[in-house]
Amino acid sequence: MGARGAPSRRRQAGRRPRYLPTGSFPFLLLLLLLCIQLGGGQKKKENLLTEKVEQLMEWSSRRSIFRMNGDKFRKFIKAPPRNYSMIVMFTALQPQRQCSVCRQANEEYQILANSWRYSSAFCNKLFFSMVDYDEGTDVFQQLNMNSAPTFMHFPPKGRPKRADTFDLQRIGFAAEQLAKWIADRTDVHIRVFRPPNYSGTIALALLVSLVGGLLYLRRNNLEFIYNKTGWAMVSLCIVFAMTSGQMWNHIRGPPYAHKNPHNGQVSYIHGSSQAQFVAESHIILVLNAAITMGMVLLNEAATSKGDVGKRRIICLVGLGLVVFFFSFLLSIFRSKYHGYPYSDLDFE
């Protein structure tokens, strides 16, 4: 028994412990250092992101829109990490820039930002900022931007796409339209709350008081109420206001005109058939009124029984008004609807 067990003990005594290859220790050490470095880098990114969000929240607690220069723009908007969306208005509000549209757009932008800041849904996923041309010229150059105002959305990840630039020329810059665009880009829905505006109520009260006072003073003679000419003038004013696009202006809030920042040229007629300026609607109103006046004179010349020579003059004046101003109206229509084949007099 002892003899048979001796070789077995010798074999056990002859076995050596199995160790890993000597060259694997540097590999494991390198892997360990790499994991530590990656973990430290991730922790550093998280700390940097937390610091950026805390800074933005602090600014938002003071003002719903915070201004940015080139350094802040690159740190909080362009540079990662970022887990929030940023809406930026690029503008030129300094008086020497003479950008009235920028001031109007800024008022709507302020209403939108305040609506978000003081809403119950406010969180650190969406912020509003502004870059003025005189404070961030390098930002305008970096983005190849040559017009103001411009609204852009910078998403949490990746670069802004074409749809991340708000189509101000076509839609206008009303706060409600901006809120709809933001909802499409960020899934954040903002309910716009406008500050109370009593100008309409005051105007209505003054109008009612004026009409009531007039009726009281003329209470013994109310024949003017049955004056057909007066009611015709009131009706024409309403028709001119509606057909010139005043209701569209009230809903969309377009700028009054557009000034080219390069050559300073002011455009009163929008080049697209999908939009218009406020000045454009005023021009259309005047043209429609002049055409209507021409038609009234033609009707007067045809139906009156006065002197033939006087009637001829009235007819020529009325015909001239219709032809001239209707041709002008057609030229505006052709400039907006490119390819429209018809015209009277060529004003282009």
Side-chain angles (χ1 to χ4, degrees):
M1 186 73 180
R4 287 196 299 268
S8 176
R9 287 195 295 271
R10 285 196 298 270
R11 285 196 299 271
Q12 291 178 358
R15 289 180 180 176
R16 294 182 180 180
R18 295 181 180 179
Y19 297 102
L20 293 174
T22 307
S24 63
F25 283 101
F27 174 75
L28 292 175
L29 182 60
L30 179 62
L31 183 61
L32 179 62
L33 292 176
L34 182 61
C35 292
I36 296 175
Q37 185 177 5
L38 290 176
Q42 184 67 24
K43 188 66 175 180
K44 184 177 180 181
K45 286 184 179 180
E46 293 177 357
N47 294 336
L48 179 59
L49 178 60
T50 302
E51 180 183 349
K52 292 169 69 173
V53 173
E54 289 178 353
Q55 182 65 70
L56 292 174
M57 291 296 289
E58 180 184 352
W59 288 343
S60 296
S61 64
R62 300 175 185 175
R63 309 184 85 178
S64 55
I65 301 175
F66 38 86
R67 306 174 75 97
M68 287 194 168
N69 53 23
D71 294 335
K72 291 181 179 178
F73 179 83
R74 284 182 284 271
K75 178 180 179 181
F76 291 95
I77 298 180
K78 298 294 288 184
R82 193 174 71 249
N83 65 348
Y84 51 84
S85 294
M86 183 72 73
I87 307 298
V88 184
M89 176 184 177
F90 299 91
T91 185
L93 295 176
Q94 296 300 322
Q96 65 269 21
R97 301 299 174 185
Q98 298 181 356
C99 182
S100 58
V101 180
C102 296
R103 291 190 291 271
Q104 297 171 12
N106 181 56
E107 294 176 359
E108 294 293 319
Y109 190 52
Q110 192 72 49
I111 291 173
L112 176 64
N114 287 336
S115 299
W116 168 244
R117 173 62 184 83
Y118 298 106
S119 69
S120 58
F122 175 75
C123 62
N124 58 4
K125 298 301 181 183
L126 177 65
F127 297 98
F128 291 84
S129 63
M130 176 189 302
V131 177
D132 193 282
Y133 179 79
D134 293 283
E135 299 173 359
T137 308
D138 53 338
V139 178
F140 277 75
Q141 295 174 351
Q142 179 182 354
L143 298 176
N144 295 322
M145 192 172 296
N146 53 17
S147 63
T150 299
F151 297 94
M152 287 189 65
H153 164 244
F154 291 86
K157 296 181 180 179
R159 296 182 178 181
K161 300 178 181 178
R162 183 176 181 181
D164 288 312
T165 300
F166 182 68
D167 192 353
L168 183 145
Q169 298 294 337
R170 184 177 65 88
I171 305 177
F173 47 73
E176 291 76 8
Q177 298 298 328
L178 287 169
K180 183 179 179 181
W181 167 67
I182 291 174
D184 293 337
R185 304 310 305 164
T186 65
D187 290 331
V188 175
H189 297 271
I190 303 175
R191 183 179 178 183
V192 177
F193 293 94
R194 291 185 175 274
N197 185 0
Y198 301 105
S199 59
T201 305
I202 295 174
L204 180 60
L206 291 175
L207 179 61
V208 171
S209 301
L210 179 62
V211 173
L214 181 61
L215 292 175
Y216 178 78
L217 294 175
R218 299 290 299 272
R219 61 186 180 278
N220 298 324
N221 184 10
L222 299 178
E223 294 182 359
F224 69 95
I225 296 179
Y226 304 99
N227 190 325
K228 296 180 180 180
T229 304
W231 286 112
M233 294 297 294
V234 173
S235 301
L236 283 175
C237 290
I238 296 175
V239 170
F240 292 154
M242 294 298 104
T243 56
S244 62
Q246 295 297 331
M247 185 58 67
W248 192 93
N249 294 340
H250 179 74
I251 296 173
R252 296 296 183 89
Y256 186 82
H258 176 71
K259 183 177 182 181
N260 192 313
H262 297 293
N263 53 25
Q265 183 179 0
V266 180
S267 299
Y268 298 100
I269 306 295
H270 199 284
S272 171
S273 61
Q274 303 296 322
Q276 70 176 19
F277 297 131
V278 175
E280 180 179 338
S281 63
H282 295 166
I283 294 172
I284 299 300
L285 187 149
V286 173
L287 293 179
N288 287 335
I291 294 170
T292 303
M293 178 61 67
M295 297 299 295
V296 170
L297 292 178
L298 287 174
N299 180 73
E300 183 69 19
T303 58
S304 65
K305 299 180 180 179
D307 182 62
V308 176
K310 183 179 179 180
R311 292 169 58 189
R312 184 179 291 111
I313 294 174
I314 295 176
C315 179
L316 292 175
V317 172
L319 184 62
L321 287 174
V322 172
V323 172
F324 180 82
F325 288 104
F326 190 74
S327 298
F328 196 6
L329 188 64
L330 276 181
S331 68
I332 295 176
F333 190 81
R334 291 180 65 191
S335 67
K336 297 178 70 65
Y337 292 83
H338 304 285
Y340 186 74
Y342 305 108
S343 65
D344 287 339
L345 303 177
D346 191 1
F347 288 92
E348 298 180 357

